């Protein structure tokens, strides 16, 4: 047998024993790590990324063992005495994961190669779900590898005695970096990594990411100190196939307003054809409804069908995951809670209910099937209405072209910076000038100016000018030595309880009267229920017994059905990139099965009006059902269209005094004037001008109210809304809104230049209105040829928007009945 040579020989020998061979990208990452480099690995899920990222630290430890034992490879490394002075030098690797659910799988995946190569290493986990043993190991440094989350890493930084432990870390591996990059959790991690780099300047950092449209920016955000760090390309993206459950040739398929349950027989047939399946829905409500529908027709034991979403109790989610691994569950109905890299090699197929709304999400979900290196990704798409068929064809075309969405990282999130400053003040203290230079070495705060930095310091010391007289806002004290510290134990406890940036949604725990917890629903939903009312949750029909201290005590109902909870923020917007691909396909050749399946619908759109196309802006001016409606189709995604609709309503009102209602979807928007008004192409062109955008947005929207809502989450992250202490009743969403609203009003009246007010307004423009893309959309509309069609009937494109505009005027049942009746009338009128 040939003896393997080279620094990676021990790992290659283990690979060979498993019947594997290290991929070139794995060996490249190992080589670069051993040379002292940091970098970003871009590779799809299931390609061997864990061993690529972790192999370098393993090989380094094996080399150190050989040196320490005089090349006697069997001699184990001598462990330092527990709690001794050398214990702080034991922690070697930090593995950062975005989800607590991933931590258990990660620990399991890391232990296998450690044991195989004979290292005497301990792997511990420090997350919100960690055991008491793991928490003790993390705090005392009695582990070589620590798997943790960004929030738990920040919590470690809040203890003064952890600095020596963290200074011993040689490597930080950030898994699923693409999931953290575009939000404030990523900003919090950037700040924590800057502190670790200060504790250990030679620290090596490696990120692991799925494919992104902005990989270099992702690299720079993670590694701002290494602007030329290598982006290592892993294996080529998985072969990807997409099938659609197409309607029959003579089958009536809805134009709008459905959840796809008409496809239930086809879906069940597909599920029964494979051993194990994941059925993805886009919202928690949709997942509950599909689970209930499948339960009613499920031909096997009920326990072989499971439900998994983010509002379920962790124990229920863990049971579903374990059932997938063990092969005892045949189907799990899930949301994005199972998007990430939990490893389920036994999953045979993935089904997607409705549009995935983005290419990256579709690829992530398709990769859950046959989650093994070299296996092709496959997804079966289940349309809920006709036009989603075009979105599936667009997603397939985008994947074939290699285009994927970008995730721009936030900058200057001063609420996160304020939280981090209090964490460091609690963890031994900081000097202002030194910390200013440290945070400016992050991507998120590289443009932080001295004035904004002084505002952050003033905020953590006294809350700002208007709050200076309230002791609760004096969290940090600047000592005579110039060091900022936290001295109040009550403030220390509250801060540690509130570390993190995940916004609270006013959750009410749902607990069986006799039994364990089931998860949580929003307070606004439970607040409408009375005792004995029934609702559907966690795959059960439940009866409310009582609501007490933000806990809903329930019993399982013996029969009947109930309403399904709705969660705020559940509706996804079609990505701008995929929306433009949809527009391109409308006018292109019908070379995809989905486009051929709705050929009659596309022909009808062409006959009544026109098909959208790049370079042409389709506008429909329709008199129907006793009213006028203006439909505009920029194909920029729901989020942009909502802001654009408010803007156009303002500008139209300037041209012709009137009031307007409006609605938006992913393809366009509709404005309905209250009074009769005439309209021509020049009016539309004037309304679509990109000039004076910000000023007109301020006038068209209730910006103060939008900022007030945004301020609640900002205030919580910044520490103005401390959590309830252990043993106390949790605060309700109504109480939080009242507290944040009072603070917002006080600051607007007495400190209008407060940094958090400015941040709230900036986030409204950037996050809620997406003003950058809104401006781009207006510029694009102005550059197109306007294609205005006066009509007396709705078209296949305008009808879903009209249906959306009616949603807020009718009850759910009345709305569904009216939409179905209107659709049937339109189809009869335009048949043939």
């Amino acid at each position: 047998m040939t003896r393997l040579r080279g620094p990676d020989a021990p790992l290659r020998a283990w690979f060979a024993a498993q019947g594997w061979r290290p991929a070139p990208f794995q060996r490249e990452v190992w080589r670069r790590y051993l040379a002292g480099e940091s970098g970003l690995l871009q590779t799809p899920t299931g390609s061997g990324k864990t061993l690529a990222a972790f192999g370098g630290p393993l090989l380094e430890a094996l080399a150190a063992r050989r040196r320490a034992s005089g090349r006697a490879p069997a001699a184990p490394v001598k462990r330092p005495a527990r709690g001794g002075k050398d214990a702080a030098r034991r922690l070697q690797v930090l593995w950062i994961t975005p989800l607590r659910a991933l931590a258990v799988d990660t620990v399991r995946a890391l232990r296998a190669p450690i044991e195989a190569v004979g290292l005497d290493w301990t792997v511990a986990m420090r997350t919100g779900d960690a055991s008491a043993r793991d928490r003790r190991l993390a705090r005392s440094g009695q582990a070589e590898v620590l798997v943790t989350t960004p929030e738990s890493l920040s919590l470690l930084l809040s203890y003064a005695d952890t600095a020596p432990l963290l200074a011993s870390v040689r490597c930080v591996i950030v898994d699923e970096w693409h999931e953290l990059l575009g939000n404030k959790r990523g900003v919090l991690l950037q700040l924590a990594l800057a502190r670790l780099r200060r504790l250990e300047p030679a620290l090596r950092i490696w990120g692991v990411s799925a494919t992104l449209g902005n990989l270099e920016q992702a690299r720079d955000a993670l590694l701002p100190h290494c602007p030329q760090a290598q982006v290592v390309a892993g294996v080529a993206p998985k072969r990807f196939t997409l099938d659609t459950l197409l309607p029959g040739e003579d089958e009536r398929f809805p134009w709008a307003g459905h959840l796809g349950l008409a496809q239930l027989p086809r879906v069940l047939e597909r599920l029964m054809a494979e051993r194990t399946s994941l059925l993805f829905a886009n919202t928690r409500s949709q997942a509950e409804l599909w689970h209930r529908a499948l339960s009613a027709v499920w031909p096997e034991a009920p326990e072989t069908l499971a439900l998994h979403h983010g509002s379920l109790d962790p124990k229920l989610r863990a049971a579903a995951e374990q059932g997938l691994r063990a092969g005892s569950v045949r189907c799990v109905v899930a949301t994005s809670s199972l998007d990430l890299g939990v490893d389920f090699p036994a999953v045979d197929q993935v089904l997607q209910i409705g549009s995935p709304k983005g290419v990256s999400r579709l690829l992530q979900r398709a990769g859950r099937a046959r989650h093994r290196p070299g296996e092709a990704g496959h997804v079966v798409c289940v349309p809920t209405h006709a036009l989603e068929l075009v979105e599936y064809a667009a997603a397939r075309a985008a994947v074939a072209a290699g285009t994927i969405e970008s995730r721009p990282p936030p900058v200057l999130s001063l609420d996160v910076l304020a939280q981090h400053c209090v964490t460091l003040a609690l963890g031994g203290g900081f000097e202002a000038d030194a910390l200013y230079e440290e945070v400016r070495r992050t991507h998120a705060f590289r443009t932080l100016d001295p004035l904004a930095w002084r505002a952050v310091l003033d905020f953590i010391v006294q809350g700002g000018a208007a709050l200076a007289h309230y002791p609760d806002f004096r969290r940090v004290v600047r000592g005579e030595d110039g060091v900022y510290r936290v001295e109040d134990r009550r403030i220390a406890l509250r801060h540690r309880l509130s570390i993190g940036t995940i916004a609270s949604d006013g959750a009410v725990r749902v607990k069986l009267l006799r039994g364990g917890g089931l998860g949580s629903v929003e307070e606004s939903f439970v607040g409408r229920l009375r005792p004995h009312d029934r609702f559907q949750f966690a795959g059960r029909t439940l009866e409310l017994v009582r609501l007490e201290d933000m806990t809903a005590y329930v019993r399982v109902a013996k029969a009947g059905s109930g309403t399904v909870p709705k969660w705020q923020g559940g509706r996804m917007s079609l990505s701008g990139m995929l929306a433009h691909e949809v527009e391109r396909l409308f006018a292109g050749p019908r070379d995809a099965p989905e486009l051929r399946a709705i050929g009659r619908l596309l022909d009808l759109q062409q006959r009544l009006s026109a098909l959208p196309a790049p370079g042409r802006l389709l506008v429909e001016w329709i008199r129907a059902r006793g009213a006028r409606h203006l439909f505009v189709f920029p194909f920029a995604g729901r989020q942009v269209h909502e802001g654009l609709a408010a803007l156009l309503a303002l500008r139209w009102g300037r041209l012709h005094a009137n009031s307007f209602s409006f609605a938006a979807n992913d393809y366009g928007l509709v404005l309905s004037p209250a009074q009769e008004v005439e309209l021509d192409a020049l009016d539309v062109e004037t309304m679509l001008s990109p000039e004076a955008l910000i000023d007109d947005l301020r006038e068209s929207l209730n910006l103060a109210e939008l900022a007030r809502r945004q301020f609640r989450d900002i205030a919580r992250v910044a520490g103005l809304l401390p959590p309830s202490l252990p043993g106390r009743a949790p605060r309700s969403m109504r109480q939080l809104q009242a507290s944040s609203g009072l603070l917002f009003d006080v600051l607007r009246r007495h400190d209008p230049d407060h940094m958090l007010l400015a941040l709230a307004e900036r986030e409204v423009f950037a996050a809620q209105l997406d003003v950058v893309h809104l401006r781009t959309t207006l510029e694009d509309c102005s550059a197109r040829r306007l294609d205005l069609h006066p009509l007396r009937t709705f078209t296949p494109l305008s009808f879903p928007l009209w249906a959306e505009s009616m949603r807020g005027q009718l009850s759910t049942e009345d709305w569904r009945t009216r939409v179905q009746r209107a659709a049937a009338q339109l189809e009869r009128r335009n048949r043939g």
Side-chain angles (χ1 to χ4, degrees):
M1 181 177 177
T2 303
R3 184 175 181 181
L4 296 175
R5 298 184 181 277
D8 60 357
L11 264 186
R12 284 191 292 139
W14 177 57
F15 270 64
Q18 308 299 311
W20 305 337
R21 178 180 296 177
F25 79 90
Q26 292 175 317
R27 297 190 67 184
E28 181 181 355
V29 173
W30 301 343
R31 175 176 57 79
R32 290 184 179 277
Y33 177 86
L34 294 174
E37 296 182 29
S38 297
L40 178 66
L41 169 63
Q42 177 266 309
T43 193
T45 295
S47 60
K49 61 176 184 171
T50 301
L51 289 171
F54 193 50
L58 286 178
L59 293 169
E60 185 175 57
L62 289 169
R65 185 176 72 178
R66 286 196 299 271
R67 289 193 299 270
S69 59
R71 293 199 171 279
V77 176
K78 182 180 178 182
R79 287 189 182 278
R82 293 195 180 274
K85 66 179 182 179
D86 292 329
R89 289 199 288 270
R90 186 170 166 187
L91 185 60
Q92 304 286 309
V93 179
L94 276 178
W95 186 287
I96 311 295
T97 177
L99 286 182
R100 291 180 294 183
L102 292 179
V104 174
D105 280 289
T106 301
V107 168
R108 185 184 301 110
L110 298 182
R111 282 176 177 159
I114 288 172
E115 295 170 1
V117 300
L119 277 178
D120 192 15
W121 272 14
T122 297
V123 182
M125 182 174 73
R126 179 61 177 93
T127 69
D129 297 332
S131 66
R133 173 185 176 274
D134 276 337
R135 292 170 189 256
R136 185 177 65 254
L137 290 174
R139 284 279 287 114
S140 62
Q142 297 299 319
E144 284 77 12
V145 182
L146 181 62
V147 178
T148 189
T149 60
E151 294 76 18
S152 292
L153 175 56
S154 290
L155 183 62
L156 286 175
L157 289 173
S158 74
Y159 294 96
D161 59 352
T162 58
L165 306 178
L166 296 173
S168 72
V169 174
R170 297 170 184 244
C171 174
V172 176
I173 298 168
V174 181
D175 197 7
E176 308 278 4
W177 171 233
H178 58 281
E179 288 295 329
L180 298 169
L181 172 66
N183 55 52
K184 289 184 178 181
R185 298 185 72 207
V187 175
L188 187 68
L189 180 58
Q190 288 183 50
L191 290 167
L193 292 176
R195 172 53 46 143
L196 294 181
R197 291 197 303 269
R198 181 179 176 186
L199 293 173
E200 174 47 84
L203 180 71
R204 282 155 290 181
I205 301 172
W206 277 86
V208 181
S209 174
T211 303
L212 285 168
N214 57 331
L215 268 176
E216 290 190 357
Q217 189 179 38
R219 184 267 318 274
D220 294 342
L222 182 67
L223 307 169
H225 59 300
C226 303
Q228 302 303 316
Q230 184 69 28
V231 177
V232 177
V235 300
K238 276 185 173 186
R239 300 188 311 280
F240 172 82
T241 55
L242 182 153
D243 290 334
T244 302
L245 294 187
L246 298 173
E249 186 173 344
D250 296 321
E251 180 180 350
R252 180 183 175 274
F253 205 55
W255 287 13
H258 290 260
L259 292 168
L261 291 174
Q263 296 270 46
L264 184 62
R266 289 192 184 97
V267 170
L268 183 64
E269 182 180 352
R270 285 292 186 117
L271 295 177
M272 292 297 102
E274 297 285 354
R275 174 60 201 163
T276 309
S277 304
L278 284 176
L279 179 67
F280 279 108
N282 285 340
T283 68
R284 287 167 281 187
S285 298
Q286 191 180 36
E288 290 275 357
L289 285 166
W290 266 91
H291 182 271
R292 180 171 69 181
L294 281 171
S295 297
V297 296
W298 194 247
E300 299 193 359
E303 59 269 19
T304 62
L305 176 67
L307 180 64
H308 194 293
H309 61 69
S311 291
L312 295 181
D313 187 85
K315 291 181 180 177
L316 297 180
R317 298 200 303 267
E321 293 165 17
Q322 183 54 36
L324 281 175
R325 291 191 198 93
S328 59
V329 169
R330 287 204 62 178
C331 175
V332 175
V333 183
T335 62
S336 56
S337 58
L338 278 184
D339 274 3
L340 297 186
V342 180
D343 198 359
F344 301 124
V347 173
D348 296 307
Q349 71 173 344
V350 166
L351 293 90
Q352 165 68 43
I353 302 293
S355 169
K357 302 296 185 180
V359 175
S360 60
R361 182 178 296 108
L362 183 66
L363 288 174
Q364 192 82 33
R365 292 179 173 181
R368 314 314 304 144
R370 308 178 187 122
H371 188 173
R372 299 177 287 268
E375 292 277 2
H378 179 71
V379 64
V380 177
C381 292
V382 183
T384 65
H385 60 81
L387 292 178
E388 280 184 336
L389 292 168
V390 186
E391 296 180 31
Y392 296 144
R396 185 191 291 112
V399 171
T403 54
I404 197 165
E405 294 87 4
S406 297
R407 302 192 187 191
V411 295
L412 295 177
S413 301
L414 299 183
D415 51 344
V416 183
L417 179 57
Q419 182 185 117
H420 181 68
C421 288
V422 178
T423 294
L424 296 187
L426 188 54
F430 66 85
E431 295 180 353
D433 291 345
L435 185 56
Y436 177 58
E437 293 303 317
E438 180 181 316
V439 300
R440 287 195 69 206
R441 294 190 184 103
T442 66
H443 180 274
F445 297 101
R446 66 193 187 284
T447 60
L448 181 71
D449 61 53
L451 186 63
W453 175 239
R454 286 195 294 272
V456 172
L457 294 177
D458 180 60
F459 172 71
I460 65 173
V461 169
Q462 60 178 12
L467 304 177
H469 301 295
Y470 299 91
D472 281 351
F473 302 118
R474 298 180 200 156
R475 294 176 290 162
V476 177
V477 176
R478 184 178 185 271
E480 294 183 0
D481 56 357
V483 175
Y484 289 76
R485 299 183 179 90
V486 173
E487 297 179 348
D488 189 316
R489 292 181 61 187
R490 183 174 58 92
I491 288 173
L493 175 60
R494 283 183 169 172
H495 178 76
R496 288 186 174 120
L497 288 172
S498 62
I499 282 177
T501 65
I502 301 174
S504 167
D505 58 0
V508 172
R509 292 182 60 225
V510 179
K511 190 176 187 301
L512 290 169
L513 199 60
R514 294 182 177 86
L518 297 176
S520 61
V521 296
E522 290 191 358
E523 180 186 356
S524 58
F525 171 77
V526 176
R528 295 193 295 269
L529 299 179
R530 297 179 179 180
H532 308 299
D533 281 355
R534 294 173 178 177
F535 64 100
Q536 187 78 21
F537 179 66
R540 302 161 171 85
T541 301
L542 304 173
E543 179 183 318
L544 178 66
V545 178
R546 67 177 185 274
L547 181 63
E548 182 179 290
D549 292 338
M550 295 297 286
T551 299
Y553 291 94
V554 299
R555 62 168 63 97
V556 176
K558 294 181 179 178
S561 61
T563 58
V564 174
K566 287 185 170 58
W567 286 265
Q568 296 296 319
R571 302 183 77 177
M572 297 178 179
S573 178
L574 193 69
S575 73
M577 184 273 292
L578 189 54
H580 286 305
E581 185 67 24
V582 168
E583 181 185 42
R584 185 186 69 81
L585 288 188
F586 266 115
R590 296 175 191 175
D591 52 3
E594 294 84 3
L595 298 178
R596 291 192 290 273
I598 59 165
R600 292 180 182 177
L601 196 68
L602 298 181
D603 291 341
L604 178 60
Q605 175 67 36
Q606 178 69 56
R607 188 171 76 248
L608 294 176
S609 171
L611 287 168
R616 185 175 70 221
L617 179 63
L618 177 62
V619 178
E620 296 177 352
W621 178 224
I622 299 177
R623 182 193 295 276
R625 295 185 169 268
R628 286 275 203 174
H629 309 279
L630 176 67
F631 296 89
V632 185
F633 298 98
F635 284 84
R638 178 190 298 273
Q639 184 178 9
V640 169
H641 293 156
E642 286 175 343
L644 182 58
L647 181 73
L648 297 187
L650 169 79
R651 291 176 171 179
W652 198 358
R654 286 175 180 166
L655 294 173
H656 307 282
N658 213 325
S659 59
F660 305 88
S661 61
F662 55 81
N665 67 11
D666 287 315
Y667 299 169
L669 57 97
V670 56
L671 288 91
S672 304
Q675 302 172 20
E676 181 69 24
V677 63
E678 293 303 318
L679 184 79
D680 58 29
L682 182 60
D683 288 338
V684 177
E685 290 172 353
T686 302
M687 290 155 56
L688 289 169
S689 169
E691 301 298 323
L693 172 60
I694 299 299
D695 290 340
D696 284 356
L697 280 176
R698 290 181 186 279
E699 188 177 344
S700 66
L701 296 164
N702 187 346
L703 195 62
E705 184 57 33
L706 292 176
R708 178 192 297 272
R709 295 175 191 169
Q710 193 72 19
F711 180 81
R712 177 176 60 84
D713 293 337
I714 289 172
R716 196 204 65 76
V717 171
L720 285 182
L721 299 174
S724 302
L725 295 175
R728 305 275 184 90
R731 302 171 75 187
S732 70
M733 176 58 65
R734 189 173 302 171
Q735 291 170 321
L736 286 174
Q737 288 173 336
S739 299
S740 66
L742 178 61
L743 285 169
F744 182 81
D745 292 337
V746 167
L747 293 179
R748 286 193 75 200
R749 188 175 302 117
H750 301 291
D751 193 1
D753 296 326
H754 195 282
M755 70 172 198
L756 296 188
L757 293 182
L759 180 61
E761 182 173 308
R762 183 161 60 85
E763 289 190 1
V764 166
F765 280 120
Q768 294 187 33
L769 301 178
D770 197 0
V771 73
V772 172
H773 289 136
L774 179 52
R775 183 183 298 280
T776 302
T777 299
L778 285 171
E779 292 170 349
D780 177 61
C781 289
S782 297
R784 296 184 183 213
R785 177 174 63 84
L786 190 68
D787 191 10
L788 177 61
H789 292 262
L791 304 169
R792 288 192 169 274
T793 184
F794 294 123
T795 66
L797 278 177
S798 60
F799 178 79
L801 269 167
W802 171 81
E804 185 69 26
S805 71
M806 298 300 298
R807 187 187 292 270
Q809 304 175 28
L810 301 165
S811 70
T812 301
E813 287 301 319
D814 289 342
W815 174 80
R816 184 176 293 115
T817 300
R818 183 168 180 180
V819 167
Q820 290 173 351
R821 186 170 62 245
Q825 290 172 355
L826 278 172
E827 289 172 14
R828 284 195 301 271
R829 183 185 309 157
N830 295 290
R831 187 172 293 148

